[in-house]
Structure formats: structure tokens, C-alpha cells
Amino acid sequence: MTIERGVPLARMTTLGVGGPARAFARPRSVAELTEALRLAQAEGLDVLAVGLGSNLLPADEGVDALVLRLEGELAAVEIDGTVLRAGGGAANAVCLHRARDAGLGGLEFACAIPGTAGGGVRMNAGAYGRDWADVLAQAQVVTADGDLWLRADELGLSYRHSSLLPGQVVARVDYRLAPSSADLVRAAVRELVAQRKATQPTNKRTCGSVFKNPPGELGAGAMLERCGLKGHRIGGAIISPKHANFIENAGAATSADCVALMVEARRRAHEEFGVVLAREVVFAGLPELPAVA
């Protein structure tokens, strides 16, 4: 396993922003992943698994961390009866296709989440009323000290949250699915994809949903739209004219531009609705958003 230095993260994020990583590795097995985590521990580096980079905002100045992209057997997908075992680096689209071909349903909602199995566990990702907690049986979690399998009820899954700590990386995921048919899965996915394309900027460079939906009936996107923020631009970043909870790279955007938009969005939402929006996008090398007065 090669450890690279100074690898630009902009090319690894769907938004296309971010400076270099202090260290970067592509582990292909649990043994290599453990080795990488021990190296990070020895060098005093934070650990960041990037997946497909779809929910990530790295600092323009770079990230003082060991950044990991899981490959090889850590991105493989296997079927055993109604259980789908995926490497933490397996793309959700690949998992969904394998489930469909095996006549298994339950993962259809993941067609709206352009990430990986491991990232889905870490943030309990979800869409259209379902999330990872609905389909997850167990996950193999690796640290510098070794690995262990944790059941779904041991992972502290709640809305866009898990109890996984920094330095813990999801190596494998077991999904417990239900018998279905390829035609039924395909039809459900077709309907969900059509909904997504109709409401979200799927043809633009974004980092996915920026803020978590607050309690209540009004979601973050609707709230920010009522604040008149659709199309609001700072530098090369713009709040999507299609969905106000997305930030688009409108040309040479920087992480600083995106953070400035987030600060303004939170200010206006608090001013208009008395709500402090919590970010959903993961910060890397960035300070937390300032408190809303």
C-alpha cells in the first residue's frame, strides 16, 4: 500500500473544492486498512474516509489528515441469500444494482444517495422516508487496534447520525434485504430517480444536502427558499435555484465561498424562523460554523 503526500482533494469531491491531503492511501483489505490507521496514529494524524466525496467540504488550505479511499475487497459486493455484504467503499449504485439482479428489495431509496456503504453507516444516510437503520444488519468497524463487528443497534443510529468516532472506519456492511423482483426494484428506482431529478440539481456539482432538516413540517430547503435564498451567490458558489438546500459550484468555487453561503443561510433562517440549522455536510480542516446570534 502506497502512502501519497499532498494529494489534491478537489478532484475527489463532487463539489470540486478542497486543498491537498497531508497523506492519502487506498487500502484494499482489512489488514491494509489497519496498517494505515496505525500509521495515522503514529504520525498524530486525523483520519478521513472520503468515499465518493459527495458529502464533503475540505478546507481550501488542505487537510492535516490521512485521507482514505477504500478499494479492492473493501469495495466489493457479495450476495448470500437475503444478505448483501458490501465493502465500506462500495458505491451505493453498485449495491443497488447487485440487489436488483439478485431479486432483493429494500435498498431502492439509496438511488438518491450518491455515496458509499460505509458513508451511509457513518451518517445514517437516508432519503424518501428510509435510512440505513432500516436495512443495516451489522458493520465491521476497523481502528488502529483491530476490528470488530457491530450490530445496527450498537451503532447509535439516529437522524443523519451514528455513534462512530474519529479513527473508526467502516470496512464492511451487511444489509438485510427482502425478496423482490428485478422488475419491481427497477420500477421503484425509476420513480424515485424521476422525483430526484424534478426537485434537485442532479446535473450540477454539489455536495448534496447542506443542512439537516429541522424538527417540524418545514424542511431546510423550503425554509431557505422562503428566505429568498435561491440563486444567492458568493464568489463561485451559488445556492441552487432548483433546491435551496444545495450549493452548486458555479465556476471556480472555493470552500470559503461555500462556508460564507452557509453562514448567511443560517443567519437568515434564524432571523426568519428562529431555527438554527445544523449542517449535514462533513467539514474537513474547517472550523465549525459560528454561532447564530
Side-chain angles (χ1 to χ4, degrees):
M1 181 180 58
T2 302
I3 305 295
E4 302 175 63
R5 305 285 176 171
V7 176
L9 293 178
R11 69 189 191 200
M12 298 185 192
T13 62
T14 53
L15 190 57
V17 300
R22 171 87 169 272
F24 178 77
R26 301 174 185 267
R28 300 177 61 84
S29 66
V30 170
E32 288 188 356
L33 176 55
T34 305
E35 177 190 347
L37 295 176
R38 287 173 179 165
L39 179 146
Q41 187 178 71
E43 293 193 14
L45 295 176
D46 291 335
V47 174
L48 175 67
V50 295
L52 300 185
S54 58
N55 189 44
L56 181 64
L57 192 64
D60 297 314
E61 298 77 18
V63 179
D64 193 24
L66 171 63
V67 176
L68 302 173
R69 174 164 280 177
L70 308 188
E71 298 184 346
E73 66 183 59
L74 300 183
V77 180
E78 301 173 348
I79 302 286
D80 182 8
T82 58
V83 173
L84 185 148
R85 173 164 291 183
N92 295 336
V94 173
C95 296
L96 176 55
H97 292 161
R98 289 295 303 277
R100 179 198 64 196
D101 293 346
L104 296 175
L107 263 184
E108 291 86 343
F109 72 94
C111 71
I113 305 169
T116 60
V121 174
R122 178 163 287 279
M123 68 172 293
N124 190 26
Y128 302 113
R130 304 203 74 205
D131 56 28
W132 251 241
D134 293 321
V135 292
L136 179 66
Q138 60 178 354
Q140 184 183 25
V141 178
V142 179
T143 69
D145 298 321
D147 68 283
L148 72 163
W149 284 90
L150 296 174
R151 299 187 312 272
D153 61 4
E154 295 175 308
L155 285 162
L157 302 179
S158 58
Y159 176 67
R160 303 300 176 267
H161 172 81
S162 75
S163 59
L164 288 170
L165 301 173
Q168 295 182 313
V169 178
V170 177
R172 292 189 180 92
V173 177
D174 280 0
Y175 297 109
R176 191 165 299 283
L177 305 179
S180 184
S181 72
D183 288 342
L184 287 175
V185 172
R186 190 176 291 110
V189 168
R190 188 182 305 116
E191 181 178 339
L192 293 177
V193 168
Q195 289 182 44
R196 183 168 176 251
K197 286 183 176 179
T199 59
Q200 298 178 14
T202 56
N203 62 341
K204 303 291 185 181
R205 301 200 73 172
T206 77
C207 58
S209 297
V210 174
F211 297 108
K212 299 177 183 180
N213 287 323
E217 295 183 3
L218 199 60
M223 192 174 287
L224 297 176
E225 181 177 352
R226 293 191 188 185
C227 291
L229 282 164
K230 276 188 171 181
H232 186 69
R233 179 168 181 159
I234 295 178
I238 184 173
I239 293 181
S240 174
K242 195 166 190 176
H243 193 305
N245 198 26
F246 286 75
I247 291 176
E248 299 176 8
N249 187 338
T254 64
S255 293
D257 295 336
C258 299
V259 170
L261 281 177
M262 293 176 68
V263 170
E264 178 63 8
R266 290 175 89 234
R267 184 190 69 79
R268 292 211 204 171
H270 183 257
E271 185 178 87
E272 183 73 20
F273 298 99
V275 170
V276 178
L277 293 175
R279 62 178 171 84
E280 182 170 317
V281 63
V282 174
F283 278 9
L286 291 167
E288 190 48 80
L289 294 169
V292 179

